[in-house]
Amino acid sequence: MPVQNKARAASSELIEGEAPDQVETMHTRLLYLLAYLVGMQVKVTTTSGDVYHGVLCSINPTDAQSVVLRYAYIQNSGKAALPIDTLVIRGDDCLDISGEVGFGDDTGIDSLRTG
């Protein structure tokens, strides 16, 4: 079974009651959003409740929630530690992924205006 078909089969099992073409469309949108975040600061929450911050290095297109972070560190670990050079978080351990884009204040937003 080709990789793309495996991804489709796995995706359709995760969302019961949805038409296969709808599941494929949602999977494609998720991949697009995650691909957009590659190279940016992200926050990943695991099923154990740990929250990691780091640079999103890559994603697995067959399991969109499997991610690789570079220079990752754990939030609120209670101790100062060096960042983890490369951290792989498997899809079944990944609960949430969010991009960290911040402007600071209105002056940061104003500096982005071109007109």
Side-chain angles (χ1 to χ4, degrees):
M1 178 183 283
V3 172
Q4 188 175 13
N5 289 339
K6 284 183 184 178
R8 287 180 188 160
S11 297
S12 62
E13 292 173 8
L14 294 176
I15 304 172
E16 295 181 23
E18 292 289 340
D21 60 332
Q22 185 66 23
V23 172
E24 183 178 346
T25 300
M26 288 186 285
H27 181 73
T28 302
R29 289 177 182 173
L30 177 62
L31 285 177
Y32 175 80
L33 290 171
L34 289 174
Y36 179 79
L37 291 175
V38 170
M40 299 178 122
Q41 276 286 104
V42 296
K43 178 174 75 170
V44 178
T45 305
T46 63
T47 54
S48 64
D50 293 331
V51 179
Y52 292 93
H53 295 263
V55 177
L56 183 61
C57 179
S58 66
I59 59 172
N60 181 348
T62 59
D63 176 15
Q65 286 189 305
S66 291
V67 296
V68 177
L69 299 181
R70 295 292 310 262
Y71 316 113
Y73 62 93
I74 191 165
Q75 178 177 314
N76 299 330
S77 64
K79 59 182 177 178
L82 293 174
I84 303 165
D85 185 54
T86 303
L87 176 66
V88 178
I89 301 175
R90 294 181 14 178
D92 58 355
D93 193 32
C94 184
L95 184 63
D96 180 55
I97 303 171
S98 60
E100 297 180 356
V101 180
F103 294 105
D105 59 17
D106 289 344
T107 58
I109 296 171
D110 288 338
S111 68
L112 296 176
R113 294 182 190 209
T114 58

